[in-house]
Amino acid sequence: MTPTRIQDILDVFRLSYGGDGKVQRAEVVDASQVAHISDPSKPILPWHTYAGQKLPAETLEQVKDVRAMVRAFDPKFRKWPPLDDAKAALLEGGCDLAKCYMFTDTPAFISQLVSELRADAMQLKASMEVETDPATKTALRIEYMKRMAFAHLMNGREGPTSAVNTYDKAFVTWGMGWALKGGLPKVLGRIYELEVAQSKDPERHYIQKFFYLCGFMYDAGRYYVVDTEQGTVWVDDLNKRWSKAPPGPGEAPGQAVRVIHNTDELHFMWVQAARDDLTRATMTNAQRDAFLSSTGTVPQADKIQTGALYTFIAHLQHWTGDKFDVVAWAQGSLSRPRLTAPLPSEKGDAELAIQAVHRFYHMRSPNIGRNVFTQVRDYWKQMTGEDAQVEGLSEFRPVYPVMTNGPVKSVPEGHLSATVDAAGKIIYDLGPLEDFGRGPPPPPNPAASIIIIPPTIPEPVGEDPAAEDLAKEEARRASERTGWARLFDWF
């Protein structure tokens, strides 16, 4: 069997481990692959023990040798045009703006990945359809919907398992948006758990060994990174982000992250781990497990029938970081219109889809970005189009013209309404109710602390100064509401 490319690197070095599972030394077993090591038979000390210190020359050269081998896998990163977005990265301590880019992999890789993930989900669906125990059947349906959601999101909606982005305020993300200081530690921790479960032999923990040889290690909330330019090791301890504990050896907040951002070979390392036959399955499973245990878990999923709706909700959750209990919303006092179809069912999901949009706008101000309206409409199109077709749905036909009519320049006038609570927080809602093909509910009876913002500017009022002042105030609020609506530019 021909070795994979990662295997070529792993075969050059043998690592010895201590009782704590950490590397104690490294030996060169194939001197033909390393040009700079003076005595290949001499053990090379582990680099992570030199946190904050200068590395021995041979150890530093070992890391450089491996990174040179990784560079041969150059996946041809693409420059991302809007450099204004990348300037946020400068806050991390002088990163190289020229290395702000986005990489999403080839269509062939994405197609293969999505096909495998969908086939895996469909196997669960087949088991669900023949299951007779109601509880087991429900559990299988929920797991099927979760896995189908992950497959859908890998299909060009979020970054695939190999994607690396260094151009936006997240600084560095891998996969479907896992940020170095956000969700990536969960993914890395899961990788290590899966490798330990697969084998007790550390030499068979291929991803951990590959990362370590490249001068990168994650350990219990800490990033260890070799800085080949300065010849030292930096540590970013995420556990100390909000504490006043004194820094440990090599700890300089943001320094390790800066090196990761500016080192192409570390990005190529991640891409190759996601692509390579030796490590691809573990990488995919780790990222999927991280998604399913966080934003991929939809509340009250037992009341949802289709993977299409589940994906729509999970995608909104992953995008915003909020949990969307759409079922609770649809059964609450603010729901519109009232649910009529039983849950779970395809028809029930069609009604819940509309509720999900209303809940989204009610709970989040539309000033979260100019593309919000466009993006929600894109998610809707994916749900009712490709996702419904993949599942062969026949009764899942949500009708909500504001999500499909267009293109439009902005949210239609009078379609976005708002209230202001006692704390001054603006709460938005999307209407009008006529879009649902049903009559409007009774007029609301807001609490005394709620002020209703009128949708139009009132006519001038006589010569009553108090009335004129009130009219001006209402006009001001109405114009602000219209201003928020203008944020939803379609183009």
Side-chain angles (χ1 to χ4, degrees):
M1 179 179 177
T2 303
T4 62
R5 289 175 293 182
I6 285 181
Q7 189 70 62
D8 290 338
I9 293 178
L10 300 184
D11 287 345
V12 175
F13 301 93
R14 179 185 297 114
L15 302 182
S16 300
Y17 299 84
D20 59 358
K22 292 185 174 60
V23 176
Q24 287 190 328
R25 71 176 188 174
E27 301 172 73
V28 177
V29 295
D30 185 356
S32 66
Q33 299 293 324
V34 287
H36 305 289
I37 297 179
S38 59
D39 183 3
S41 63
K42 179 181 178 180
I44 301 171
L45 294 174
W47 58 260
H48 71 276
T49 59
Y50 287 85
Q53 307 173 46
K54 290 291 184 180
L55 283 167
E58 290 180 328
T59 303
L60 179 61
E61 292 303 330
Q62 171 208 333
V63 175
K64 288 182 177 180
D65 284 333
V66 175
R67 289 187 182 176
M69 297 169 75
V70 171
R71 177 163 278 282
F73 307 147
D74 185 350
K76 307 301 181 187
F77 287 102
R78 295 184 289 113
K79 191 66 169 290
W80 188 243
L83 289 181
D84 286 345
D85 294 339
K87 291 178 181 177
L90 295 175
L91 300 176
E92 294 287 346
C95 76
D96 186 350
L97 193 61
K99 293 184 178 179
C100 294
Y101 50 70
M102 167 183 278
F103 174 74
T104 59
D105 221 308
T106 63
F109 174 81
I110 295 173
S111 177
Q112 178 188 17
L113 175 65
V114 172
S115 295
E116 292 172 352
L117 291 170
R118 283 177 173 170
D120 174 72
M122 286 300 183
Q123 285 185 346
L124 277 174
K125 186 177 182 181
S127 300
M128 173 196 74
E129 289 172 346
V130 299
E131 179 60 51
T132 56
D133 178 66
T136 303
K137 194 178 188 75
T138 298
L140 286 171
R141 187 180 80 253
I142 293 173
E143 186 63 23
Y144 152 71
M145 292 189 298
K146 284 184 175 182
R147 297 195 179 202
M148 186 59 81
F150 185 71
H152 286 323
L153 266 56
M154 289 294 98
N155 195 24
R157 305 179 195 179
E158 295 289 343
T161 54
S162 57
V164 178
N165 297 335
T166 64
Y167 74 97
D168 64 6
K169 63 183 179 180
F171 201 54
V172 181
T173 64
W174 181 26
M176 59 183 300
W178 305 113
L180 278 175
K181 296 182 179 180
L184 187 55
K186 180 187 289 287
V187 174
L188 294 171
R190 186 56 181 158
I191 289 171
Y192 298 166
E193 289 174 357
L194 290 174
E195 289 203 315
V196 169
Q198 292 162 8
S199 175
K200 301 302 180 185
D201 180 7
E203 277 292 305
R204 295 179 64 83
H205 299 168
Y206 303 119
I207 298 174
Q208 294 181 69
K209 181 178 178 181
F210 178 47
F211 286 177
Y212 189 84
L213 291 174
C214 290
F216 172 84
M217 183 176 76
Y218 173 78
D219 178 52
R222 298 177 181 86
Y223 290 115
Y224 294 76
V225 183
V226 172
D227 183 343
T228 55
E229 292 184 0
Q230 299 189 34
T232 189
V233 177
W234 299 111
V235 182
D236 265 345
D237 189 347
L238 303 185
N239 303 305
K240 293 182 179 179
R241 286 181 66 190
W242 312 115
S243 74
K244 296 182 180 179
E251 291 180 10
Q255 190 73 0
V257 173
R258 182 192 63 80
V259 173
I260 295 171
H261 181 280
N262 290 347
T263 306
D264 289 346
E265 291 85 356
L266 294 178
H267 310 146
F268 300 168
M269 170 192 78
W270 284 338
V271 173
Q272 189 59 22
R275 285 179 172 183
D276 198 284
D277 290 341
L278 184 68
T279 54
R280 187 162 58 88
T282 301
M283 289 300 315
T284 300
N285 291 336
Q287 293 201 34
R288 182 176 62 188
D289 291 350
F291 170 70
L292 298 187
S293 65
S294 55
T295 53
T297 297
V298 173
Q300 298 203 63
D302 58 314
K303 303 293 197 314
I304 297 173
Q305 179 68 25
T306 68
L309 175 65
Y310 193 100
T311 299
F312 181 64
I313 299 171
H315 203 177
L316 289 174
Q317 290 188 159
H318 189 71
W319 179 35
T320 64
D322 292 341
K323 279 292 185 181
F324 278 57
D325 193 338
V326 176
V327 174
W329 172 269
Q331 295 173 340
S333 60
L334 295 176
S335 66
R336 53 174 75 176
R338 290 293 182 181
L339 292 175
T340 59
L343 300 179
S345 68
E346 286 189 30
K347 289 184 178 180
D349 280 8
E351 296 184 2
L352 288 176
I354 298 170
Q355 301 279 357
V357 176
H358 266 258
R359 192 261 180 213
F360 172 83
Y361 276 93
H362 190 85
M363 300 300 289
R364 293 187 67 85
S365 166
N367 65 338
I368 58 176
R370 288 175 56 86
N371 67 336
V372 169
F373 188 53
T374 303
Q375 201 155 334
V376 174
R377 284 168 57 113
D378 285 345
Y379 294 176
W380 183 276
K381 181 178 179 180
Q382 293 157 356
M383 173 183 66
T384 57
E386 178 189 8
D387 297 355
Q389 293 170 9
V390 167
E391 289 188 271
L393 304 179
S394 58
E395 296 182 317
F396 179 71
R397 294 190 295 271
V399 177
Y400 193 6
V402 76
M403 287 289 106
T404 55
N405 288 349
V408 295
K409 187 175 181 180
S410 63
V411 175
E413 183 65 28
H415 202 83
L416 192 66
S417 59
T419 59
V420 179
D421 66 13
K425 178 183 177 182
I426 302 176
I427 301 175
Y428 292 85
D429 200 3
L430 204 61
L433 299 181
E434 287 74 12
D435 273 355
F436 305 115
R438 302 180 186 176
N445 182 21
S449 61
I450 301 296
I451 306 170
I452 304 299
I453 299 178
T456 57
I457 300 175
E459 295 293 330
V461 181
E463 297 181 351
D464 182 351
E468 288 182 347
D469 290 343
L470 177 60
K472 290 178 182 178
E473 176 63 14
E474 290 177 341
R476 182 188 65 78
R477 290 174 179 163
S479 66
E480 287 179 351
R481 188 206 63 76
T482 305
W484 288 123
R486 284 199 296 268
L487 288 173
F488 294 93
D489 288 342
W490 176 250
F491 297 106

